[in-house]
Structures are given as C-alpha cells and as structure tokens.
Amino acid sequence: MGFDPWDAAFVADPYPAYRELREQGRAMWWEATGQWLVPHYADVSALLRDRRLGRTYLHRFSHEEFGRQAPPPEHEPFHVLNGNGLLDLEDPAHARVRRLVAKAFTPRTVKRLVPAVRRLAGELVGRLRADGGGDLLTVVAEPLPVAVIAELLGVPEADRGLLRPWSADICGMFELRPDEETARRAVRASVEFSAYLRGLITERRSRPGEDLISGLIAAHDEEGRLSEQEMISTCVLLLNAGHEATVNTTVNGWWALFRNPAQLAALRESHDPEKLSTAVDELMRYDTPLQMFERWVLDDIRIGDTVIPRGGEVALLFGSANRDPARFEGPDALDLVRADNPHLTFGAGIHYCLGAPLARRELEASFGALLADGVPPLRLVEEPRWRDGYVIRGLEELLVEF
C-alpha cells in the first residue's frame, strides 16, 4: 500500500507506507496535491528551522508573483482569521505577535492552571467510572483541553459548548483538498467565532480579569499593541491547536497502550511522575496526532539531489519523521521509558508550539488520573475506527470499561 491519505486503510496505519517513502529518497514529488513529500527526520527537522520556507508567502510575494491563485473571495473570513494567527504569520509580524502573546502566556500562567487541570481530569475520570465506562474521547479526552483553554481565555462556562464545533469546522480546512462544503462550514465558523470573541474582548476592555484575553489586551511593547484581529486569531489558534493535538494524543495513546499490554502494565505499576512524563512523550512520538505540516518554498532549496524551486510546497511528514530508524532505535516499538526522544510532534523553529508545556500538563493529568491508585484497570470494549482525515489524525471514538 502506498501513500494515499484518502484511503481508510492507509489512515489506520500509515507507517508501512512511510517506510517505503524513506527508502525511495529524501523528497518525492506527489502529483495528487502538487507537493514534495519529505519523510526523513533529519530533513523535516532542518526544514522546520529553514527560513527559506514559510507557512505563508504573502509577506514577500503576491499570489500572482508566487505563481499561485488567490483563494475564492467567499473564503476570505477563514483566511483572514487563519492568516493573522501565529501558525501562519512569518517574521517580522510573527516575532512581534509571539513576543506579545508570550508576555501573557507565561510559565507562571501554565503553573497557575495545573491544579485546575488535575482537578478537572479527576472529575472527568470520576464520571467515566460512575458510568462503568463509555467513550473516552467524549467523556475525558475532549472536555479536558477545551475546558482548560476556555478557562485560560476567560470564556464563561455557559458558552463553552460553542467552542468545539467551531474548532472542528475550522480545522476541516487543514486537511488535503477540502471540498466546498468543508470550506462553507469553516467560513461560517470563522465568522461566528470571530464575532463571539470580538464581544468578549470588548467586555474585557471595560472589565479586565486574570484571563489570557485580558493579558493580550494589556500586552504591548515599543512596536505597539496587538490588533484586535491578531487577538482574535491568537485565541482561535490557542483553542484549535490547544485541544486537537491533546484530544488525539489521548485516544490514540490509549489505543496504543491497549495494543501493548506489557507496556501498559508497567506504566500502571509505576507511580513516578517523571516516568509518566517520559511515557507521554513516547505516545506523542509513536502515533503522532499531526501527521503532516506544510511549508511554502520562498527561495530555491536542495534536499539531497532534488532542487525545489521557489513557488513549490513541501509536505513535512511528522508521522514518518517520528518513526525514522536513522534517529530512533526500534522506532516501530512503543517504549514508554525511551530516554532519547526528540520527537517533532510540537514542531521546531519559530513555529514551535507555544502551548506545548500546557499540553504536556493536560496529558499527564488525564493519563495520571486514569492510572491512579484505586482506579480499576481500563479495558477496551471494541476496536476503534479512525475518523476521515489524515493531517489531523484521530479516532472516531474509544469505547472503554472498568
């Protein structure tokens, strides 16, 4: 089976195809989307840091100059929202916005949230136990990061049910070749989410609190304040990036543990927080929630014997890089005590995930609560199915029982 992100069998297990890609070379042209596939760890790691690549090209070129078509005008609300967030901004705008956001999203902020994260994880696991089991995704994995990000942003509890559907619709546009219905839902969610946040920002300006939105309003330096659109885009990105990866790491991780019972048993017997942290990193490496990260080629680059000219696009295969035997010993084995584990799940370079410390605390809290003393062993009820979608890869549900 070759590389085919629209094939359900490939999505369920892309790793044999990645092995074939790594054997074929360092950069392979893929006609289906007009991209260069990059499967090796060393190349992916280096290109994430290479300033000749960019998440956007609009800071240097027009669409016409870059040889690309502008998106349809009706998609503009999505592209305005996405284009003003840290994920797609490039320097100098990226450096300015990240510096301002970092003033509000500090280690102290994350530390302040840890007790609430642990308490919430315990409560969610308690609900799952009270019911004798259920869908781990909807009962534990999903509510935890959504609630944490909502708490961080200062979203009132009554409004939090709005966030996940908006996020899911927006993230549909990050898949390969999204259809027009996906785009329509993403545009509608972008409009509605932006309007909601605009109202919340207005309220915080008159009544600031200790939440991140109040911090973003206050954040400024010699170059000026964040614009309202940059604040809105930052908040949306924090929700989308802050929960999609955490949700999928949780359920994909438990599915991996169920398939490796000896590893699960050893983790259950260990009560060392450091070992739990090491295990979480291994689960992120073993079944990466974000399989592909795309970059535009702003200036000609060479990968091995292949020259990729300006105007091209590379598809950096995180899932393949994290299983590359040139970097990881026994990469296809789940090793929860793997010490040397510089996985690329959070990216690298200027776009390294700002929320990585918080994501780790959330994952440690949810896995820790399910593995705690006095909690009966979790058992799989039935083999799960994978959702449609490859770039953000996760299960439809994970039915479990105690």
Side-chain angles (χ1 to χ4, degrees):
M1 178 185 68
F3 183 85
D4 186 356
W6 299 283
D7 179 72
F10 169 84
V11 172
D13 185 12
Y15 299 106
Y18 288 155
R19 195 177 306 120
E20 293 176 9
L21 282 175
R22 291 193 300 270
E23 291 170 354
Q24 288 175 29
R26 292 173 59 184
M28 280 67 66
W29 174 251
W30 192 43
E31 188 66 38
T33 59
Q35 296 171 314
W36 294 89
L37 303 178
V38 181
H40 289 269
Y41 179 95
D43 291 325
V44 172
S45 180
L47 292 172
L48 284 169
R49 298 169 170 86
D50 194 324
R51 304 313 302 137
R52 293 173 298 173
L53 303 179
R55 282 289 296 174
T56 184
Y57 50 79
L58 293 174
H59 60 305
R60 286 183 51 184
F61 308 102
S62 67
H63 293 295
E64 294 76 15
E65 289 169 338
F66 206 63
R68 297 282 169 174
Q69 283 190 328
E74 60 270 23
H75 295 179
E76 183 179 3
F78 166 79
H79 290 290
V80 168
L81 180 65
N82 192 56
N84 282 278
L86 278 173
L87 186 64
D88 272 42
L89 286 174
E90 293 293 336
D91 286 342
H94 180 276
R96 174 179 59 82
V97 173
R98 189 172 182 114
R99 184 166 58 250
L100 291 168
V101 173
K103 288 184 177 182
F105 196 78
T106 62
R108 182 180 177 183
T109 303
V110 174
K111 186 176 181 179
R112 178 174 58 82
L113 286 169
V114 167
V117 172
R118 289 175 178 164
R119 173 184 52 77
L120 182 56
E123 291 173 357
L124 294 171
V125 170
R127 291 177 201 169
L128 188 71
R129 286 186 66 187
D131 293 337
D135 180 10
L136 188 66
L137 189 151
T138 57
V139 179
V140 176
E142 201 170 72
L144 177 61
V146 172
V148 171
I149 294 296
E151 180 72 21
L152 180 69
L153 294 175
V155 175
E157 196 162 345
D159 296 342
R160 292 177 183 180
L162 300 167
L163 302 182
R164 173 59 171 160
W166 281 335
S167 176
D169 285 346
I170 290 169
C171 286
M173 286 292 278
F174 301 136
E175 290 298 330
L176 296 168
R177 296 194 316 203
D179 59 24
E180 193 51 43
E181 174 59 23
T182 299
R184 188 187 65 80
R185 290 198 302 267
V187 167
R188 182 182 61 196
S190 298
V191 170
E192 293 176 357
F193 203 170
S194 296
Y196 174 80
L197 287 169
R198 195 167 284 113
L200 203 57
I201 289 168
T202 299
E203 181 184 323
R204 289 294 184 277
R205 279 203 171 105
S206 59
R207 291 187 299 169
E210 295 185 355
D211 54 88
L212 183 59
I213 288 179
S214 298
L216 291 175
I217 292 169
H220 64 88
D221 63 7
E222 68 279 0
E223 296 175 52
R225 297 176 182 270
L226 286 166
S227 71
E228 185 170 83
Q229 183 58 62
E230 287 167 343
M231 280 192 278
I232 290 169
S233 295
T234 294
C235 291
V236 171
L237 175 62
L238 286 171
L239 174 70
N240 294 349
H243 87 272
E244 287 288 351
T246 308
V247 170
N248 291 334
T249 296
T250 303
V251 291
N252 297 2
W254 272 101
W255 173 223
L257 290 172
F258 288 136
R259 287 176 288 147
N260 291 270
Q263 291 278 306
L264 175 55
L267 184 61
R268 187 180 299 281
E269 291 169 7
S270 170
H271 302 293
D272 183 346
E274 189 172 328
K275 288 185 178 179
L276 179 59
S277 177
T278 299
V280 164
D281 266 312
E282 173 67 352
L283 292 169
M284 285 191 283
R285 180 204 69 83
Y286 183 76
D287 220 354
T288 309
L290 179 68
Q291 290 283 311
M292 174 189 287
F293 198 71
E294 297 154 307
R295 290 283 181 91
W296 296 106
V297 179
L298 307 177
D299 295 298
D300 295 1
I301 61 171
R302 178 185 291 273
I303 305 175
D305 296 329
T306 303
V307 174
I308 303 178
R310 185 182 81 186
E313 188 179 26
V314 293
L316 307 178
L317 302 181
F318 281 18
S320 175
N322 282 343
R323 294 279 193 108
D324 188 345
R327 183 58 189 85
F328 300 98
E329 185 177 350
D332 293 322
L334 182 67
D335 180 4
L336 297 181
V337 296
R338 187 184 296 272
D340 181 22
N341 192 0
H343 62 78
L344 296 173
T345 302
F346 289 124
I350 69 167
H351 289 290
Y352 181 80
C353 179
L354 187 67
L358 180 58
R360 282 194 167 95
R361 300 295 86 77
E362 290 171 352
L363 290 164
E364 289 164 13
S366 66
F367 279 96
L370 286 161
L371 295 164
D373 280 340
V375 178
L378 208 57
R379 297 187 299 272
L380 184 67
V381 171
E382 63 181 44
E383 183 170 331
R385 295 186 302 275
W386 292 89
R387 282 200 323 256
D388 289 338
Y390 156 72
V391 175
I392 301 173
R393 179 172 168 270
L395 301 172
E396 287 185 0
E397 62 180 6
L398 189 65
L399 300 179
V400 297
E401 63 184 7
F402 289 96

